[in-house]
Amino acid sequence: MEFNWQQYFWCLAVLGPYLLTSSWSLSFWVRLTAGFVALSQAVSQIVLSADEKSNVESEPGNPFGKASQWYMAICIASGVSGGLFAAFAEPVGLLIIMLWGCFSVYTWHIVAVEDFHPSMTLRQQHPTDPWHEALPNLIGPASANESPVVFVCCALGICSVVFFLSRACFKYPRTIRNLLGGIFGGACGAHATVQAIYYYWNYGTTVYGLLAGNRYTWCSDPSPCKIFYITYCMLIVVSMIAQYFAYNSSRQGRALYRYRPVPFRHPNKRSISSNGSLEDGQSSEEEDEDEREIAWSSALQKETWEANLRTPKSCWIFLTVVVTASSIATYIFSQFVRWSGDTRTHFYIGLLYVLTNAFCLWSIIEFFFTTLWFHVIRLVCDIPPLPKRDFSRGLSGKGRTLLAYCLLSKSKDASEETVETAKQAHLANLDPNMCITTGVVSVTSALSLVKHELDTRDASRNEIRQTLQAEMVVVLRLFQAGRLNGLSSVDAEYELRKALKTECGSGDRSCFWLALAEHQDPVSLNQKLAVKVEEAVQHFVYLHRTCKVLKKPGQYQDVMVLGTTGNNKAYTYLNSVYGELGREEGSECFGYNGNIEIDESETEARAAIKSLEKRGMPDVELVASYGADPNKRYHYTMVLDSDTMCPSGSIRELVESAEHPANRNYGIINANLATDYSKDDSSTTWYMWRNALMEVSTVNLQRGQFWIFNRVGFYGKGLIRNEMYISRMIGMPGSPVEALPVDILSHDTVEAKLLQPAIASGVTLYEDVARNPISALSQSTRWMLGEVRNGCYHSDGAYRGIVKLLTLMYSICKDGKPRKEPYVRCREVPCSAAAEYLSHTGFRLFHAGPSILLISILTSLMAERKYLLELNVVPVLGVYAFLFTVLALFIVPKGFLILDKLPSLGLGRWLLCSSASSKVGDRAVSDTEDDKLLDKGSQSLSAVHLRELEEETWESDSDDEKEQAPKLGRCSVLARQLVLSLIEIALSVLLFSPELVVGCVRLFRGAWAQVTGSAAWQPQDAVEKEVEQNLSVSYVFKKTWWVFLAGLAYLAYALTFQIYDVLIYLLIVSWMLYPLTTYWMCMHIGESWKSTFMWKWVMEIKKIQQ
């Protein structure tokens, strides 16, 4: 027999000292530990009280008598569930620590009051049902010698509950919570440590927890009992001292730099001098105006910061439902393990099985309830889009925006593609007030490539000029002929767009031209439009960064500072702090005196650099000139990757949402991200088609996520509010914030915590998707490394301990000395519970495959051979139960697609007591009649434009395209989505199964890259080009042989031990076929396949969604 319930006490030898020294931190692991130990021990004592005999004479494998299997599963499931609740909600974790601490003090004090010899007469008969009078079973019968300390413990327990409930109304300072966690946690840690000592001493009768309810059993001999009591008291004293020093050490570290936002103030804003007198030329009225503006700005920054730290009630309700459902599933799956009798289950292996199932089921249940929540809320309350202002005739000065296309190129082709994408975005989003500037922000180093990028910029400017001049001729002819006179704005725009599309091929800039030309004198119109054309050309800029510090975030952080303040001097991430990873203080951020690798002769290089400065510095000066003027500065930066496409008007719509007063708390406005598969239709691969298939068979859950959490994640592409970003992420000269570690990869996780992103669901941007599974693995491995690295920054990060140890061993073996870690100014940043939860979404997704593989190993390998794990059900049936749950929770949401076609009742305005724009739209701010008319007008105008644009697009299609893409009603779309969903599920069985092995490889590569400090894989674009050039079965097999080998090994095991199960062999077949399925996914889709319903339906629905 392998199992012994006393094995539970082995973990207390580690968990007890951990709580003794770290309870003050209330970290994730402290709360998880406290919840697991406290709940499992409490439940074990309650069920032990059901049978008096089981307290004394039970067998190690049957501690609860005949009901041991049932009760032991309940004890373990209760511990796991308690750990989940405590870990994901700090208030619950602190409550458990405080109650456990009170109970441990009560236990030892009442033993001391009884002179360490509880009378056996205190034993009482308990009812057969252990849950009846559960509290008396825990605290035991009252002592004959009552003490005030007993009443104090009871009072503290009641106060703990009151403190927990009051947190719904009050936010207590972090110091108070740390103090309570340290004091009560010290008692918890001392009690857990004494229990471990009791077990290792192996003294007296076997018990399953030193509790007040069974004190007559474990304290039958006064002498050792007194020793345990003294040890408990001494450990509490030691804990208080240790935690005091640990807290002070942590506070001193925070004192060197404690994260706090720095109030933003433009350096050229009028101000009062340090001695209180007015600056030269400043009147008292200007002084009063400055003071009012400063006060208003400070109040606004404080209000938005407090909003970022606030967790909405809808989030707590949602998480409570998810955790409760996960706990119920945990109770069910814990019954699968055989815990009692002559079982071969080892306690820790059985616990690992339960924990792994709980982790996987958590993610699946969360997805299920997010989908269900989305549809229910949409049907009953509606999920309104973000309210927005109307800037159809041009952005205001407060909406000035800079598009930052971040580029790091290794080839001319990559440079040309990025500049071309930026040029298309610039043309599609021209603003009549010239408040949108498009910039290619490059950190390319090779001199020849930098020259080529500037040449490409000049060529793109010529193309922009020629395009606009051709359109200007059409506009002048229409206006000078008077063809638009007397028409409404809608009709005028329609006629102008039709003429532009007929003669120039595109009507996307009809709003731009109409805003410039209407109400202008036809005589001088030509000159005015020519000036605007040249200005639009000059607003397409190229900025070369002089260093690569902080990688992509450094690119847009520097351009943000340049465009917001006019400052082109470095004041963050300096080499005086970060060493070789930093840069020189006061050095130029943009220019050509740094980050240039000379790949030609020295003499030619000097002349070339001077030429680059002459051609490129005017762009830097243009952006800086706007930034230096506080009334003309850039207020927003649109962060974009080199492949991100911005459709016509998309930037304006994002700024319209950002500028609405109801959305001022949101520092980032995200757009939907999709893939334009028609961009390169001839080279579309089956892998890209499958991604499109998944997109059309699901709903946009980000909308529901935004409603629940009042925020969404950030994925590196969005409209950023410059003032807020500088205040919270960058800092001001002399007061740097530097919230991002200098070597960070997944920077968007930290930015999402501090900037409260929102989603403008009506705007869609397009980006390139990985073209095949091989390049997708390279991309996801880089993301995995980012998750691992983020987990190493935090003191309680999931990877910090193990990666730090492996790094130390690796560096000593390789270099003979420990590797110096980069300086990190901010290891943790304050954020709401909602932001913290969303920040771990990627972590859960990346670990899903390895977790399911672990379940497969535990069930089909270990449980099948009854090696350290034995299941009550047939091992394979355990896998079926798990996969049935998975499929049920994934398939049912597909059926919810029918709900997406039903109209909403729109009861949110009456049912919800909330003013958040994520819940009720603009109800809180559109109170005046002018606001209502403005909103109504802009909405109707947008509807007209959208309808006309759809009609024009339809009319412009060829007859063949019309036949292939008929207009579809809601029912037709729904029917096709349901059919495609079934195809997607079937493909997932074949294509997702290898993810169990691929996920482990990804995890290993990411972790190993962090340990060694180097990433050995190729960039995604390089991998895609290599696949295109070398695609063959043998090439793909070289890239995927490890999945085939895993399938072969699994097949050999199954045949050796005569395992005949369809599910197991389906898994094996999918692994062994992975090289072939990968080869198929890499292939281009032939023209014959594009005539089938699978291709046509997917593309038709994609077109409708766009």
Side-chain angles (χ1 to χ4, degrees):
M1 184 192 71
E2 298 289 344
F3 184 80
N4 190 324
W5 180 244
Q6 297 176 62
Q7 293 166 355
Y8 168 78
F9 286 89
W10 294 355
C11 64
L12 296 185
V14 176
L15 301 183
Y18 176 62
L19 292 174
L20 280 173
T21 57
S22 305
S23 294
W24 65 271
S25 67
L26 292 176
S27 67
F28 175 89
W29 299 108
V30 165
R31 302 196 305 270
L32 181 69
T33 297
F36 174 76
V37 176
L39 268 293
S40 58
Q41 283 200 338
V43 173
S44 67
Q45 176 57 30
I46 291 172
V47 298
L48 276 169
S49 302
D51 186 359
E52 179 184 1
K53 184 178 179 180
S54 68
N55 287 332
V56 183
E57 301 177 359
S58 59
E59 299 177 3
N62 297 278
F64 307 115
K66 297 179 180 179
S68 289
Q69 170 62 34
W70 169 253
Y71 285 151
M72 289 171 68
I74 289 180
C75 290
I76 293 174
S78 297
V80 173
S81 300
L84 289 177
F85 272 103
F88 287 96
E90 189 207 81
V92 177
L94 181 57
L95 173 64
I96 291 175
I97 290 175
M98 293 175 70
L99 291 178
W100 184 16
C102 292
F103 180 75
S104 66
V105 172
Y106 165 82
T107 297
W108 287 104
H109 179 75
I110 200 170
V111 166
V113 167
E114 295 170 346
D115 200 21
F116 306 102
H117 195 282
S119 174
M120 293 297 289
T121 59
L122 293 177
R123 298 177 65 176
Q124 60 182 6
Q125 295 295 329
H126 296 278
T128 304
D129 183 6
W131 308 108
H132 183 68
E133 299 181 0
L135 184 59
N137 292 341
L138 281 176
I139 65 176
S143 174
N145 302 319
E146 295 295 343
S147 169
V149 178
V150 174
F151 297 103
V152 170
C153 291
C154 295
L156 285 176
I158 296 173
C159 290
S160 301
V161 177
V162 173
F163 180 81
F164 168 74
L165 297 176
S166 66
R167 294 187 67 175
C169 304
F170 304 100
K171 184 177 181 180
Y172 295 96
R174 180 72 185 179
T175 305
I176 293 179
R177 289 177 278 154
N178 288 142
L179 179 63
L180 293 174
I183 294 174
F184 289 94
C188 299
H191 189 64
T193 305
V194 169
Q195 291 184 88
I197 295 173
Y198 179 93
Y199 168 72
Y200 282 106
W201 193 339
N202 199 19
Y203 168 79
T205 306
T206 299
V207 294
Y208 303 97
L210 307 186
L211 309 175
N214 63 350
R215 62 185 184 273
Y216 45 81
T217 303
W218 56 267
C219 194
S220 57
D221 189 343
S223 178
C225 189
K226 186 178 295 186
I227 295 176
F228 293 140
Y229 173 76
I230 295 173
T231 304
Y232 171 78
C233 295
M234 291 179 63
L235 286 174
I236 290 181
V237 175
V238 171
S239 174
M240 295 300 106
I241 296 174
Q243 291 193 85
Y244 173 77
F245 284 108
Y247 174 75
N248 271 348
S249 176
S250 175
R251 188 174 64 175
Q252 288 174 4
R254 292 198 305 268
L256 296 175
Y257 182 78
R258 182 180 180 182
Y259 176 85
R260 61 176 63 86
V262 175
F264 174 83
R265 179 167 175 76
H266 196 280
N268 295 334
K269 198 72 174 176
R270 292 189 302 269
S271 61
I272 302 173
S273 62
S274 58
N275 61 8
S277 60
L278 299 179
E279 291 184 347
D280 294 339
Q282 187 174 5
S283 66
S284 62
E285 290 81 4
E286 291 173 334
E287 176 191 353
D288 293 339
E289 181 184 349
D290 277 355
E291 289 181 348
R292 287 193 297 270
E293 184 175 347
I294 291 172
W296 180 84
S297 178
S298 299
L300 178 61
Q301 291 183 37
K302 181 179 179 181
E303 176 189 339
T304 56
W305 176 244
E306 290 176 350
N308 179 62
L309 299 179
R310 195 178 302 128
T311 301
K313 295 181 178 61
S314 56
C315 170
W316 291 119
I317 295 172
F318 174 78
L319 291 181
T320 300
V321 172
V322 171
V323 175
T324 301
S326 301
S327 298
I328 294 172
T330 300
Y331 277 99
I332 295 173
F333 276 84
S334 64
Q335 295 292 338
F336 291 171
V337 181
R338 186 180 180 190
W339 301 103
S340 63
D342 57 348
T343 179
R344 295 182 178 275
T345 301
H346 191 280
F347 172 77
Y348 293 110
I349 301 300
L351 181 62
L352 178 63
Y353 175 82
V354 175
L355 287 174
T356 308
N357 275 285
F359 174 80
C360 294
L361 291 170
W362 175 289
S363 300
I364 297 165
I365 289 171
E366 180 198 13
F367 170 77
F368 175 80
F369 277 106
T370 302
T371 307
L372 179 63
W373 212 279
F374 166 79
H375 289 293
V376 172
I377 293 301
R378 194 198 66 81
L379 286 173
V380 178
C381 301
D382 198 10
I383 301 180
L386 279 179
K388 60 183 182 179
R389 299 179 63 183
D390 181 16
F391 291 145
S392 59
R393 290 299 177 261
L395 299 179
S396 67
K398 293 287 187 180
R400 188 176 296 277
T401 302
L402 175 64
L403 276 64
Y405 274 90
C406 300
L407 170 64
L408 170 58
S409 176
K410 299 293 184 181
S411 66
K412 291 184 177 181
D413 290 342
S415 299
E416 291 172 359
E417 290 173 4
T418 301
V419 176
E420 174 65 22
T421 303
K423 182 200 75 175
Q424 296 296 338
H426 186 65
L427 281 171
N429 292 278
L430 286 173
D431 180 65
N433 296 330
M434 296 301 151
C435 287
I436 294 180
T437 302
T438 302
V440 176
V441 186
S442 173
V443 289
T444 303
S445 298
L447 178 59
S448 58
L449 287 179
V450 175
K451 290 169 57 179
H452 183 71
E453 288 172 357
L454 269 173
D455 292 340
T456 309
R457 179 210 63 178
D458 293 340
S460 296
R461 281 182 170 179
N462 288 331
E463 293 176 15
I464 294 171
R465 184 181 291 110
Q466 293 170 5
T467 300
L468 295 182
Q469 286 176 346
E471 293 182 352
M472 187 178 73
V473 172
V474 178
V475 173
L476 287 172
R477 186 172 69 249
L478 288 176
F479 274 91
Q480 291 174 352
R483 291 177 55 184
L484 303 181
N485 294 342
L487 297 179
S488 64
S489 296
V490 174
D491 293 336
E493 184 183 339
Y494 174 74
E495 293 297 330
L496 182 57
R497 182 169 59 249
K498 186 166 63 173
L500 288 172
K501 190 163 188 178
T502 301
E503 299 189 34
C504 301
S506 173
D508 290 343
R509 287 167 290 280
S510 57
C511 287
F512 168 76
W513 290 114
L514 184 62
L516 288 177
E518 65 180 353
H519 309 306
Q520 298 290 334
D521 182 10
V523 177
S524 60
L525 183 59
N526 187 1
Q527 182 179 359
K528 292 181 179 180
L529 292 184
V531 171
K532 287 293 184 181
V533 167
E534 193 58 34
E535 193 174 351
V537 171
Q538 297 305 315
H539 274 263
F540 183 76
V541 300
Y542 173 83
L543 305 172
H544 180 263
R545 191 167 181 244
T546 58
C547 67
K548 295 178 181 176
V549 173
L550 203 61
K551 303 180 181 69
K552 176 188 172 183
Q555 292 174 256
Y556 60 77
Q557 283 192 5
D558 282 353
V559 81
M560 194 179 296
V561 171
L562 180 70
T564 308
T565 66
N567 183 10
N568 192 32
K569 303 295 182 181
Y571 65 88
T572 57
Y573 299 99
L574 306 177
N575 53 18
S576 59
V577 178
Y578 293 91
E580 61 182 11
L581 295 179
R583 54 185 174 175
E584 189 71 30
E585 182 176 5
S587 60
E588 282 190 344
C589 297
F590 294 99
Y592 299 88
N593 57 2
N595 191 28
I596 295 290
E597 295 178 0
I598 298 175
D599 51 2
E600 52 190 53
S601 68
E602 190 72 24
T603 305
E604 294 177 352
R606 291 197 191 98
I609 291 175
K610 288 183 179 179
S611 175
L612 293 178
E613 290 178 346
K614 183 177 180 180
R615 296 169 59 193
M617 288 308 292
D619 286 356
V620 179
E621 294 166 359
L622 173 69
V623 176
S625 64
Y626 280 102
D629 189 338
N631 297 318
K632 293 183 178 180
R633 65 181 176 88
Y634 291 92
H635 289 264
Y636 299 95
T637 298
M638 186 69 193
V639 178
L640 300 162
D641 284 339
S642 59
D643 60 350
T644 310
M645 294 169 283
C646 304
S648 176
S650 57
I651 305 302
R652 172 177 59 81
E653 291 187 50
L654 291 175
V655 177
E656 288 175 336
S657 296
E659 279 293 281
H660 197 281
N663 303 324
R664 63 188 180 188
N665 292 336
Y666 304 120
I668 300 175
I669 306 296
N670 286 330
N672 296 316
L673 293 176
T675 303
D676 187 4
Y677 297 94
S678 61
K679 174 187 174 184
D680 197 4
D681 189 61
S682 60
S683 61
T684 302
T685 63
W686 283 104
Y687 182 80
M688 298 169 67
W689 172 81
R690 182 182 176 242
N691 284 334
L693 175 64
M694 290 189 291
E695 289 177 8
V696 301
S697 59
T698 56
V699 296
N700 184 4
L701 292 182
Q702 267 201 319
R703 293 170 58 196
Q705 192 181 71
F706 183 46
W707 196 97
I708 295 169
F709 298 100
N710 197 25
R711 67 196 308 143
V712 292
F714 179 48
Y715 307 104
K717 291 165 276 290
L719 184 72
I720 298 178
R721 205 179 296 269
N722 289 356
E723 183 175 325
M724 187 181 293
Y725 192 97
I726 293 175
S727 170
R728 300 180 187 178
M729 302 295 304
I730 303 175
M732 300 294 292
S735 302
V737 174
E738 297 175 348
L740 296 178
V742 70
D743 62 339
I744 195 170
L745 292 178
S746 295
H747 53 89
D748 39 19
T749 301
V750 181
E751 290 164 336
K753 286 183 177 181
L754 293 174
L755 296 171
Q756 194 174 358
I759 178 73
S761 56
V763 183
T764 300
L765 305 181
Y766 298 93
E767 61 180 353
D768 288 342
V769 70
R771 306 185 68 84
N772 56 73
I774 300 175
S775 62
L777 177 60
S778 175
Q779 181 187 60
S780 61
T781 304
R782 186 174 66 253
W783 293 342
M784 183 71 240
L785 173 59
E787 291 294 329
V788 172
R789 187 164 295 178
N790 281 357
C792 293
Y793 292 133
H794 302 281
S795 58
D796 62 339
Y799 290 99
R800 182 170 174 80
I802 184 66
V803 169
K804 192 172 183 179
L805 176 62
L806 292 175
T807 301
L808 177 64
M809 296 170 59
Y810 176 83
S811 58
I812 289 178
C813 293
K814 181 182 179 183
D815 303 324
K817 60 180 181 180
R819 188 170 70 226
K820 184 179 179 181
E821 292 186 2
Y823 172 75
V824 178
R825 188 182 294 271
C826 297
R827 288 196 177 275
E828 298 181 18
V829 294
C831 65
S832 67
E836 186 69 31
Y837 182 79
L838 290 176
S839 69
H840 293 93
T841 301
F843 178 91
R844 295 194 298 274
L845 290 177
F846 281 128
H847 290 75
S851 298
I852 297 175
L853 179 62
L854 179 58
I855 293 174
S856 178
I857 292 174
L858 290 172
T859 53
S860 61
L861 272 67
M862 300 182 70
E864 180 69 27
R865 307 307 304 165
K866 295 184 179 181
Y867 177 71
L868 301 180
L869 179 65
E870 189 172 348
L871 301 181
N872 279 322
V873 294
V874 178
V876 176
L877 184 58
V879 179
Y880 273 114
F882 177 80
L883 291 182
F884 171 78
T885 307
V886 172
L887 292 176
L889 294 178
F890 270 116
I891 292 175
V892 171
K894 300 294 184 182
F896 290 159
L897 286 170
I898 191 173
L899 302 178
D900 199 37
K901 309 305 176 185
L902 301 178
S904 172
L905 297 176
L907 302 178
R909 293 175 178 267
W910 294 272
L911 296 179
L912 301 174
C913 299
S914 173
S915 60
S917 57
S918 61
K919 303 286 196 301
V920 295
D922 61 350
R923 183 186 72 177
V925 294
S926 295
D927 294 330
T928 66
E929 290 300 321
D930 291 340
D931 287 338
K932 292 177 181 177
L933 290 174
L934 177 64
D935 292 340
K936 181 178 179 181
S938 63
Q939 291 170 5
S940 61
L941 184 61
S942 299
V944 171
H945 284 182
L946 180 61
R947 184 171 61 253
E948 292 174 351
L949 182 60
E950 288 176 348
E951 291 175 355
E952 286 183 24
T953 303
W954 178 256
E955 290 172 359
S956 65
D957 289 340
S958 65
D959 293 338
D960 292 339
E961 289 175 328
K962 290 180 183 179
E963 292 178 1
Q964 294 176 2
K967 292 185 177 181
L968 301 176
R970 287 191 174 189
C971 293
S972 299
V973 172
L974 173 62
R976 297 186 179 199
Q977 283 181 309
L978 293 176
V979 173
L980 293 174
S981 296
L982 297 176
I983 297 175
E984 193 260 320
I985 292 170
L987 283 175
S988 296
V989 174
L990 180 63
L991 300 178
F992 179 77
S993 297
E995 174 63 23
L996 276 61
V997 181
V998 173
C1000 293
V1001 173
R1002 182 192 301 115
L1003 177 59
F1004 173 79
R1005 288 180 178 177
W1008 186 245
Q1010 177 65 17
V1011 168
T1012 59
S1014 62
W1017 57 86
Q1018 293 177 280
Q1020 178 188 346
D1021 56 347
V1023 175
E1024 290 183 348
K1025 291 180 180 178
E1026 180 183 317
V1027 172
E1028 289 284 339
Q1029 295 171 0
N1030 303 296
L1031 183 61
S1032 64
V1033 175
S1034 60
Y1035 170 82
V1036 172
F1037 185 80
K1038 291 177 182 178
K1039 296 291 184 179
T1040 59
W1041 60 269
W1042 27 271
V1043 181
F1044 174 82
L1045 183 63
L1048 193 63
Y1050 208 165
L1051 176 63
Y1053 170 83
L1055 294 177
T1056 301
F1057 294 101
Q1058 298 181 348
I1059 301 175
Y1060 304 110
D1061 181 79
V1062 176
L1063 183 62
I1064 296 297
Y1065 284 98
L1066 179 62
L1067 192 67
I1068 292 172
V1069 168
S1070 67
W1071 290 6
M1072 297 185 68
L1073 290 179
Y1074 183 67
L1076 294 179
T1077 56
T1078 301
Y1079 175 73
W1080 170 48
M1081 290 282 107
C1082 294
M1083 295 177 63
H1084 294 167
I1085 300 178
E1087 292 300 325
S1088 58
W1089 277 101
K1090 292 181 181 179
S1091 61
T1092 63
F1093 79 94
M1094 289 193 301
W1095 170 268
K1096 291 195 295 184
W1097 285 10
V1098 170
M1099 294 303 129
E1100 288 166 6
I1101 297 175
K1102 286 290 294 181
K1103 187 173 183 180
I1104 292 173
Q1105 291 176 342
Q1106 292 172 12

